Amino acid sequence: MPLALACAPLTGGAPAPPPELGPVARPLGEGWAAPAAGPAAAVEAVAALVRRGGWRIGVGAAPGDDDGPVALAARRALEAASRRPARLAVRGTDAGAAADAQAVLAALAVLLARRSDAAWAAVDLVAAGGTRAAAASALGISRQAVAQRLAAGGWDLEQELRPAAARLLARAAG
């Protein structure tokens, strides 16, 4: 199930590809495109681009190599992203699964874009494999405060949205 990501800055051109696309990113109009290693990697790249901010994001899912239908799907998704509130779109062989993946990724994008710096600090520590107690110690706050930051930042919901988005992207390729 080949997947590709395309992104373009919301303002002006991008002189260099964002590192989230990896070392094989190619120029694509005013932005960049790259194959994704798989559905989970595509979701991770989308999340990282959303966190970075300032990008329009398209995800393409289709059979074939990254120079064929999947690249075209990514390009079409990037064009569609400019008309979407979350500035993110998915296009794929299975239009229904692509629409579902788009909805889940958009929800994830909104969640991540609204996360506070304090919540990100707690999330980063827990996501790296630390315990809530270790995160509390590192941040100099109580475990309850870590739990509050994780809750406010939607950590548990994020953990549900990521695999759902990956499964839907896999289906979108047909």
Side-chain angles (χ1 to χ4, degrees):
M1 90 225 53
L3 296 165
L5 284 113
C7 65
L10 292 175
T11 58
E20 293 82 2
L21 291 186
V24 296
R26 299 184 309 263
L28 175 69
E30 75 280 13
W32 300 91
V43 172
E44 181 61 34
V46 166
L49 285 166
V50 168
R51 183 173 183 179
R52 176 183 287 270
W55 292 95
R56 189 168 34 103
I57 306 163
V59 181
D65 62 29
D66 60 63
D67 289 327
V70 71
L72 180 59
R75 188 174 299 117
R76 287 183 176 156
L78 184 60
E79 291 169 5
S82 64
R83 299 181 302 273
R84 301 212 18 94
R87 301 292 187 245
L88 183 145
V90 177
R91 296 294 180 266
T93 304
D94 181 330
D100 291 345
Q102 177 177 284
V104 173
L105 282 172
L108 177 63
V110 168
L111 177 78
L112 298 178
R114 292 182 178 172
R115 188 173 281 164
S116 70
D117 290 341
W120 273 115
V123 164
D124 287 342
L125 291 167
V126 173
T131 65
R132 292 178 183 208
S137 178
L139 295 171
I141 59 177
S142 69
R143 284 191 318 163
Q144 291 80 8
V146 168
Q148 288 172 344
R149 289 182 182 189
L150 292 174
W155 169 248
D156 291 332
L157 180 56
E158 178 185 353
Q159 298 313 296
E160 294 175 6
L161 290 172
R162 282 178 178 255
R167 286 190 302 273
L168 290 166
L169 284 175
R171 289 183 198 150

